[in-house]
């Protein structure tokens, strides 16, 4: 039977290939030779992404702190990004090889050494490359109608802070959370979903009084670490790392990254930043609108301080795949499976008739579960072993096989993806079985 599982030999290539083969992620515009740094999500990928967003949303909504949600625009007025400092500061150092014309982020290479692409050492000077995508609104292109695709969702939260405060029944401390697209013209998009040009962020801006900010900073680091534990990530591959002062973004007073040990090294998964009251102060200055809050106890106005938790949906998607990818050996054959938490798995259950002759009966179970909103697949093609492999590879936690006895005894065999344990349960217990694994 199965030998011990082994997820340590996962590589980026294996994940990219599985994602394409099983319809999780495709290079965007692939039939036109692809758009670099941009990806489309297929049926399973879109569902996995949705599950990630649902879990994050639920975690924010049901936690002890008050968190409300918004959905801001992607196009941002020039003034917003001038006030936030992005128009001036949001850039990466860029260097070109004068021999082969390849471009690099200066941070990624050692300029004392030759070009990793052509082996010649002939660098240009390092210069700053603006990361925001710029466009013009309307028919005329001039400097008065410039807009930017937002490089972070956070600013739409800050510019709506007063609108939300006055229209919702919330009091400091509270958070505003948002999930949405962000765009960055990355010099070298790489490592698949790790560094993309179009991606999605899940961000929380938590507003509090200055004297409570350090405490909330610690609270949120702990909460976010706990979230990763809850969704089943291997915590030996997760760590926190405080930023050195020369790494801090222009708006940040202190920042702690939650890092994951990817096959290409320890890298940022989520950033937790104490943004002080920088953003609200800047928007107050630039817009001329008062964004201060009145403190009833102290009888004075103040601009709230902010703790931010920011994670990329796509980067977390990639992390989850790396973490779940497992190869083990069954009867001398290598089996690939994704040990996804059942809440995250795109498909929770598969209904497999042992023979096509049994399809008519088995499909009733499938339709019944579908109606009950279970993420379920029906598969009647190929040997049962092949069908199990297909479900293992997409991370389906439970396969229910309908065999010739099922017609009479009204039972099916359920097989567990990870332990391979099989047990016979009554058909009317399938729904309960699924509920139980989802609540594990
Ligand atoms: N509002 C703060 C902010 O945007 P960031 O560290 O630049 O901070 C936050 O980004 C998170 O967004 C990162 O931790 C990462 O998960 C994700 N992210 C940033 N750039 C990305 C990119 N080019 N591709 C995919 N995800 C990205």
């Amino acid at each position: 039977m199965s030998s011990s599982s082994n997820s340590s030999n996962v590589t980026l290539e294996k994940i990219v290939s599985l994602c394409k083969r099983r319809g999780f992620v495709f290079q965007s515009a692939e039939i036109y030779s692809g758009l670099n740094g941009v990806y489309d999500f297929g049926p399973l990928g879109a569902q996995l992404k949705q599950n990630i967003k649902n879990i994050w949303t639920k975690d924010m909504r049901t936690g002890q702190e008050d968190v409300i949600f918004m959905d801001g625009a992607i196009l941002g007025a020039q003034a917003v990004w001038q006030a936030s400092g992005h128009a001036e500061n949001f850039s990466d150092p860029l260097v070109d090889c004068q021999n082969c014309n390849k471009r690099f982020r200066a941070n990624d290479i050692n300029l004392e050494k030759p070009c990793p692409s052509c082996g010649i050492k002939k660098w240009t000077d390092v210069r700053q490359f603006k990361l925001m995508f710029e466009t013009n609104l309307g028919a005329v292109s001039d400097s008065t109608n410039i807009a930017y695709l937002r490089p972070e969702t956070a600013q739409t939260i800050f510019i709506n802070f007063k609108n939300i405060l006055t229209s919702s029944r919330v009091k400091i401390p509270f958070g505003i959370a948002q999930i949405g697209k962000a765009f960055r013209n990355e010099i070298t998009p790489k490592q698949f979903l790790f560094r993309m040009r179009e991606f999605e962020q899940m961000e929380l801006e938590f507003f509090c009084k200055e004297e409570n900010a350090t405490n909330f900073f610690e609270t949120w680091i702990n909460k976010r670490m706990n979230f990763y534990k809850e969704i089943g990530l291997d915590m030996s591959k997760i760590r926190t790392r405080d930023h050195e002062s020369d790494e801090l973004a222009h708006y940040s007073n202190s920042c702690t990254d939650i890092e994951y040990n990817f096959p290409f090294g320890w890298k940022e998964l989520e950033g937790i930043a104490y943004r002080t009251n920088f953003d609200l102060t800047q928007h107050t200055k630039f817009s001329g609108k008062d964004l201060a809050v009145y403190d009833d106890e102290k009888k004075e106005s103040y601009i709230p301080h902010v703790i931010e938790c920011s994670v990329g949906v796509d980067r977390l998607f990639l992390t989850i795949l790396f973490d779940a990818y497992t190869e083990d050996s069954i009867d001398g054959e290598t089996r690939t499976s994704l040990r996804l938490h059942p809440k995250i798995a795109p498909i929770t259950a598969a209904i497999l008739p042992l023979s096509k002759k049994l399809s008519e009966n088995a499909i009733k179970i499938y339709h019944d579960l579908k109606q009950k909103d279970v993420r379920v697949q029906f598969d009647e093609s190929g040997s049962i072993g092949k069908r199990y492999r297909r479900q293992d590879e997409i991370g389906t936690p439970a396969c229910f096989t309908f065999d010739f006895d099922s017609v009479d005894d009204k039972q099916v065999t359920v097989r567990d993806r990870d332990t391979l344990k099989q047990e016979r349960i009554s058909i009317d217990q399938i729904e309960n079985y699924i509920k139980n694994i989802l609540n594990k």
Side-chain angles (χ1 to χ4, degrees), residues 37 86 90 151-155 158 182-184 186 189-190 192-203 205 228 243 249 251 255 257-258 268-273 275 308-316:
H86 284 79
F90 198 57
E152 60 170 10
T153 71
Q155 293 307 320
F158 297 129
F183 301 81
R184 296 182 190 177
E186 298 285 355
K190 60 181 174 186
F192 194 35
L193 307 180
F194 186 83
R195 194 179 300 288
M196 304 155 82
R197 290 191 167 126
E198 173 177 340
F199 56 101
E200 219 167 346
Q201 286 186 315
M202 303 189 283
E203 297 204 294
E205 306 302 322
Y228 292 116
H243 276 210
Y251 49 73
C255 186
D257 284 346
I258 296 181
E268 172 182 347
L269 167 61
E270 168 160 355
I272 300 170
R275 291 181 82 127
E308 172 184 76
C309 304
S310 175
V311 56
V313 180
D314 319 82
R315 197 174 285 184
L316 179 52

Side-chain angles (χ1 to χ4, degrees), residues 172-173 206-221 253-254 272-277 303-308:
I172 303 263
F206 192 79
F207 299 90
C208 62
K209 289 185 182 171
E210 183 175 6
E211 56 264 37
N212 301 327
T214 318
N215 266 347
F216 278 122
F217 186 53
E218 293 304 321
T219 303
W220 279 106
I221 294 172
N253 176 301
S254 46
I272 300 170
Y274 173 25
R275 291 181 82 127
T276 66
N277 60 1
I303 298 192
H305 280 233
V306 171
I307 308 300
E308 172 184 76

Side-chain angles (χ1 to χ4, degrees), residues 12-27 39-45 48 192-193 317-318 321-322 325 338 393-394:
L12 185 63
E13 292 69 31
K14 286 182 184 178
I15 295 292
V16 174
S17 153
L18 189 151
C19 279
K20 181 164 183 202
R21 193 167 65 246
R22 294 296 180 205
F24 281 89
V25 185
F26 310 114
Q27 172 86 58
Y39 293 89
D40 297 327
F41 289 77
L44 293 178
L48 177 53
F192 194 35
L193 307 180
F317 182 114
L318 181 64
L321 290 186
F322 275 127
Y325 186 94
L338 290 181
E393 224 186 19
I394 64 171

